[in-house]
Amino acid sequence: MLRLAKILWIALRFGLEEFALPPGSRALRVLRVRALAEPRAVRLRRALETLGPIFVKFGQVLSTRRDLIPADIADELAKLQDQVPPFDGELAVAEVERAFGKPITEAFEKFEVKPVASASVAQVHLAVLPGGTEVAVKILRPGMLPVIGEDLALLDTAAGLVERFFADGRRLRPREVVAEFARHLFEELDLMREAAHASQLRRNFQDSPLLVVPEVYWDWCATSVMTMQRMQGTPVSQVEELRRQGVDIKKLARIGVEIFFTQVFRHGFFHADMHPGNILVTPGGRYVALDFGIMGTLTEVDKQYLAQNFLGFFQRDYARVARAHVEAGWVPADTRVDEFEGAIRAVCEPFFDRPLGEISFGKALIRLFQTSRRFNVEIQPQLVMLQKTLLNIEGLGRQLDPELDLWATAKPFLEKWMREQVGFKGLLRTLRREAPYWATMVPQLPRLLHRALAGDRLERLEELLAGLMALQRRRNRMIGVAVALLALALAWAVFSTVF
């Protein structure tokens, strides 16, 4: 309750009521009596910074949706991507010395106290390792856990109220969504985990001409400190500078889409925080990924489901999309597929054959949400991060090339991936993956078969013995009844003779 009161107080302090109250309302006129010198976009950004990392991340996501929010707000919120106010550099030095257990001068040959970038949960300092290797050192903000814990508790309470009092609450499973977000957020607060994420992504794109991932220096990593290769490049948001360097912007936009689908469908492991502040571009037109705190994973079942849906959309095979939902159990089994197919067609058909600049995935998602509510579609928490990433990709693509045709760019990739999954190559890959298990199981088959047969015979023998014992008990009861009747008859005969 104290945290909620603080949130409301900060909102009023920065005049955010104008975003929540209807224009011209009496309450808004009363609150506007106080003086507010700064523009609304600046006040919103400062309020989010004051509220803490969860709200900063919310602002980062909003900044990529220029189709949904006014331009002045989008421009100001974009500063949250890499211009969050830093904490004192001396605190960073103290944290490094605490993590490594030695003075900063022994850990690094050179360490710049002034940070080069500051984000919601950490900031980055440039340094030089002993031997001359240039590195970037990421350091967590001090005192993060208590604030994040309070905000997550507040979100969980709000989700519980939605689940309890709103008609769609249980179907949307908001508490599971909050739990999924909390899991990813706490992973982001463990820089050893982030270093492992970076290593995995680097391995996935080791020989790729599309994406560069920095190398991690494990001897200079701890839970609160991560040291990685220093990367050179231009922020992807500086489109004019990239053009000046001779980078093909349209090609860059297509490559971004290909990287996204490669991560999702080939690797099942994707960067889930792909806002422009986390992406650089080399003069040669290669992407450079930064900040690996939030990564998403997908199972083979998830990938197959998503591929079926994407291909269904791209081929306008809405019956295929409807069947995929039913087979995955996302809609009730008694759902009429033809009705569900028609509803999906009504949502998706208007978006085909249009460039990205004329398509709003935000509006499409709203319509899909309305359709899902009608057919009781269950929201899948494990795919929430993927949805967020897809929106980030849309925002990035819109900045680079408003004419980008997302459908035409992604369709060939997905069709090739599906051929590899269900064709001869997919069969060979499955055989190679299963071969170690077969090599272990085949020598054990005779023993396992004997055990199964012996167990089966023993089970049948036990059933037979149980049946015989039950029959004997019934016979004993019948004999007992007969003896009792005979005794009664003899007693009656003796009684009749005497009397």
Side-chain angles (χ1 to χ4, degrees):
M1 294 302 296
L2 289 175
R3 178 60 176 167
L4 178 60
K6 182 178 179 181
I7 291 173
L8 294 175
W9 163 246
I10 292 174
L12 291 174
R13 172 186 162 194
F14 288 97
L16 302 188
E17 67 277 356
E18 68 176 284
F19 294 98
L21 297 175
S25 65
R26 183 176 181 181
L28 186 59
R29 289 196 301 271
V30 171
L31 290 171
R32 277 184 173 174
V33 172
R34 67 193 191 284
L36 296 171
E38 295 176 318
R40 62 174 186 172
V42 175
R43 287 186 278 113
L44 177 59
R45 174 183 58 80
R46 291 185 58 202
L48 295 177
E49 290 173 349
T50 305
L51 288 170
I54 290 182
F55 296 89
V56 168
K57 288 197 170 296
F58 175 70
Q60 289 172 349
V61 174
L62 277 182
S63 69
T64 65
R65 302 315 317 274
R66 293 176 177 269
D67 58 319
L68 301 180
I69 60 177
D72 62 325
I73 294 178
D75 291 339
E76 193 65 31
L77 294 184
K79 297 178 181 179
L80 295 174
Q81 293 167 4
D82 56 2
Q83 298 181 34
V84 179
F87 59 89
D88 191 348
E90 294 301 328
L91 291 177
V93 171
E95 182 60 34
V96 171
E97 293 180 340
R98 186 198 66 77
F100 295 156
K102 53 186 174 183
I104 194 78
T105 53
E106 294 182 16
F108 297 99
E109 188 174 296
K110 180 182 178 182
F111 184 89
E112 296 185 9
V113 177
K114 184 179 179 180
V116 294
S118 181
S120 54
V121 299
Q123 65 187 32
V124 178
H125 296 252
L126 299 181
V128 178
L129 295 179
T133 303
E134 294 185 343
V135 295
V137 184
K138 185 173 183 177
I139 305 167
L140 282 183
R141 288 180 175 270
M144 291 285 296
L145 285 176
V147 176
I148 288 178
E150 291 174 353
D151 287 344
L152 288 175
L154 190 62
L155 284 176
D156 184 67
T157 300
L161 294 174
V162 170
E163 197 171 275
R164 181 174 181 181
F165 294 109
F166 285 79
D168 287 329
R170 291 189 178 181
R171 181 181 63 83
L172 297 176
R173 298 193 283 183
R175 298 194 71 177
E176 292 186 37
V177 173
V178 171
E180 182 80 2
F181 176 67
R183 182 175 68 83
H184 286 288
L185 189 59
F186 280 117
E187 285 182 2
E188 193 174 4
L189 297 176
D190 183 353
L191 294 189
M192 288 295 288
R193 186 184 292 269
E194 179 175 346
H197 290 165
S199 293
Q200 178 66 53
L201 192 64
R202 177 181 172 85
R203 190 158 53 249
N204 290 347
F205 285 89
Q206 186 68 50
D207 301 317
S208 172
L210 307 178
L211 181 68
V212 182
V213 180
E215 180 182 358
V216 174
Y217 298 100
W218 288 102
D219 290 339
W220 285 269
C221 290
T223 303
S224 58
V225 179
M226 173 184 171
T227 303
M228 56 187 167
Q229 178 185 359
R230 181 178 177 182
M231 307 303 294
Q232 305 287 345
T234 302
V236 70
S237 58
Q238 298 181 12
V239 179
E240 292 303 321
E241 175 62 22
L242 292 174
R243 285 199 177 97
R244 192 189 65 79
Q245 296 174 10
V247 176
D248 187 338
I249 300 300
K250 291 183 178 293
K251 181 181 178 181
L252 192 66
R254 293 194 302 272
I255 289 175
V257 175
E258 184 176 347
I259 289 173
F260 169 74
F261 282 100
T262 299
Q263 291 181 78
V264 171
F265 292 105
R266 289 198 183 279
H267 306 146
F269 183 76
F270 60 94
H271 196 302
D273 199 17
M274 294 185 67
H275 61 75
N278 288 338
I279 303 173
L280 302 178
V281 179
T282 67
R286 297 177 73 188
Y287 280 91
V288 179
L290 303 173
D291 194 347
F292 312 95
I294 302 180
M295 305 294 290
T297 56
L298 297 172
T299 65
E300 289 298 322
V301 174
D302 290 334
K303 289 193 291 184
Q304 289 287 347
Y305 164 80
L306 288 169
Q308 292 288 347
N309 275 276
F310 274 116
L311 283 176
F313 284 128
F314 293 149
Q315 297 171 355
R316 306 190 187 188
D317 186 355
Y318 304 114
R320 182 179 189 175
V321 176
R323 287 195 303 271
H325 276 74
V326 175
E327 291 168 1
W330 287 19
V331 294
D334 59 353
T335 300
R336 286 192 55 176
V337 176
D338 58 337
E339 290 186 3
F340 193 33
E341 174 191 352
I344 295 172
R345 179 182 293 106
V347 172
C348 299
E349 195 65 23
F351 296 100
F352 281 98
D353 299 327
R354 291 186 180 184
L356 187 61
E358 298 178 11
I359 298 174
S360 170
F361 280 105
K363 295 178 181 178
L365 286 176
I366 291 173
R367 293 190 61 188
L368 283 173
F369 175 80
Q370 294 170 343
T371 301
S372 67
R373 180 170 56 189
R374 175 184 166 193
F375 287 91
N376 295 317
V377 177
E378 291 192 2
I379 302 301
Q380 303 299 308
Q382 73 271 22
L383 299 182
V384 169
M385 301 306 296
L386 180 64
Q387 296 167 7
K388 168 181 173 291
T389 305
L390 182 57
L391 293 179
N392 282 342
I393 291 295
E394 180 201 0
L396 177 61
R398 193 181 300 278
Q399 288 184 22
L400 294 174
D401 181 14
E403 300 301 317
L404 175 68
D405 189 336
L406 183 64
W407 317 114
T409 304
K411 183 180 176 181
F413 178 89
L414 283 175
E415 288 178 337
K416 180 181 178 182
W417 181 82
M418 286 296 290
R419 287 195 301 269
E420 292 176 352
Q421 292 300 306
V422 300
F424 183 70
K425 290 183 179 179
L427 175 62
L428 290 179
R429 185 167 51 253
T430 302
L431 291 175
R432 284 197 299 267
R433 185 172 60 246
E434 296 295 332
Y437 300 101
W438 292 354
T440 304
M441 290 293 296
V442 169
Q444 302 180 41
L445 285 178
R447 176 170 53 83
L448 295 173
L449 181 61
H450 178 269
R451 181 184 299 174
L453 292 175
D456 186 54
R457 287 199 300 270
L458 181 61
E459 184 178 348
R460 289 201 301 269
L461 180 59
E462 289 177 348
E463 292 177 356
L464 179 60
L465 289 175
L468 290 174
M469 292 177 66
L471 179 61
Q472 185 62 42
R473 285 194 296 269
R474 287 197 298 270
R475 288 177 177 176
N476 290 340
R477 285 197 297 270
M478 292 176 65
I479 292 173
V481 171
V483 170
L485 292 174
L486 181 59
L488 287 173
L490 289 174
W492 177 257
V494 172
F495 181 82
S496 300
T497 303
V498 174
F499 296 99

